[in-house]
Amino acid sequence: MVARLKLKGIDGQPLEMTTAAAAVGTIRLATADDVEQLLTLVNWAYRGKQGRHGWTKETHLVGGLRTDRESLATLFTTPQTYIHVLVVDGSLVGCIKSVIEGDIVHIGMFAVDPDKQSRGYGGRLLTCLLTHATQLSCSTAVMTVLSARPDLIRMYASKGFLDTGERQPFPPRSAAMGWPLDDVPLQFAVLAKSL
């Protein structure tokens, strides 16, 4: 079954994406009403006990929360920032954030409920975000991944995201990002893909 996803661009005009996978669940742009569900989802996927088994797991590397309520709420008033969410049977099961800067889309906060992974939800969210970015005239997608996660870097490479060799330091200890568990400083690997 083919379905159309209707999104709004930065000018408020509708954007449409056709996808055969949309038959299960709906992808839409998040609103401020989604903050509580996003907070639960993102922290569960990245830092929850169950997160140890999901593809976004960081519990062996980073302590604390992945995000907080204030940081999430701020995203809804930040220009050129979008959060796509996947809702299945009324529950928010995945999200992915994009920030548009000129012709570059920066991807982050990519999470799928660990209990619902390996069902194609992450791929659908990424495809939707990249389609949206292309419709907004982006030519490059960039994301950062903990360099201590070579498995994740390889997985993104299979999706066309190549390691640029650039490294960025993990931010200082904060309630909004957590902190490294070991004394070894963590770094982000910068990955990029041409659109």
Side-chain angles (χ1 to χ4, degrees):
M1 177 178 189
V2 174
R4 290 192 182 277
L5 298 174
K6 294 185 179 183
L7 305 171
K8 289 190 178 181
I10 56 174
D11 59 358
Q13 296 301 310
L15 299 172
E16 289 191 10
M17 182 181 124
T18 302
T19 176
V24 178
T26 304
I27 296 175
R28 63 172 172 78
L29 289 174
T31 68
D33 292 337
D34 295 314
V35 166
E36 291 304 316
Q37 286 188 76
L38 284 166
L39 184 66
T40 300
L41 170 69
V42 171
N43 286 320
W44 176 249
Y46 282 89
R47 309 281 167 78
K49 290 179 184 175
Q50 190 71 5
R52 289 186 203 138
H53 305 291
W55 57 266
T56 51
K57 66 182 183 273
E58 295 177 345
T59 54
H60 61 296
L61 299 169
V62 183
L65 297 176
R66 169 60 176 78
T67 191
D68 62 17
R69 190 173 285 104
E70 182 180 329
S71 297
L72 281 173
T74 299
L75 296 175
F76 293 99
T77 59
T78 304
Q80 305 285 45
T81 299
Y82 305 90
I83 302 171
H84 290 84
V85 294
L86 174 63
V87 179
V88 177
D89 296 328
S91 296
L92 198 149
V93 300
C95 66
I96 189 168
K97 177 187 79 168
S98 60
V99 178
I100 310 295
E101 291 182 354
D103 65 348
I104 298 173
V105 57
H106 297 272
I107 301 170
M109 206 172 72
F110 191 6
V112 174
D113 181 331
D115 293 331
K116 297 185 173 48
Q117 291 181 7
S118 299
R119 299 180 189 186
Y121 294 153
R124 289 176 53 203
L125 281 163
L126 183 59
T127 297
C128 184
L129 178 145
L130 294 175
T131 299
H132 186 206
T134 301
Q135 292 171 331
L136 296 175
S137 301
C138 291
S139 60
T140 305
V142 175
M143 67 170 62
T144 57
V145 176
L146 287 174
S147 60
R149 291 291 314 278
D151 55 326
L152 203 49
I153 293 171
R154 282 191 303 275
M155 190 277 295
Y156 284 123
S158 74
K159 307 287 184 198
F161 286 87
L162 303 179
D163 190 340
T164 65
E166 180 184 349
R167 298 294 183 262
Q168 297 175 352
F170 193 85
R173 183 181 179 114
S174 75
M177 261 319 259
W179 53 87
L181 292 178
D182 294 327
D183 291 333
V184 179
L186 288 176
Q187 295 180 340
F188 289 109
V190 178
L191 312 181
K193 172 185 173 109
S194 294
L195 302 178

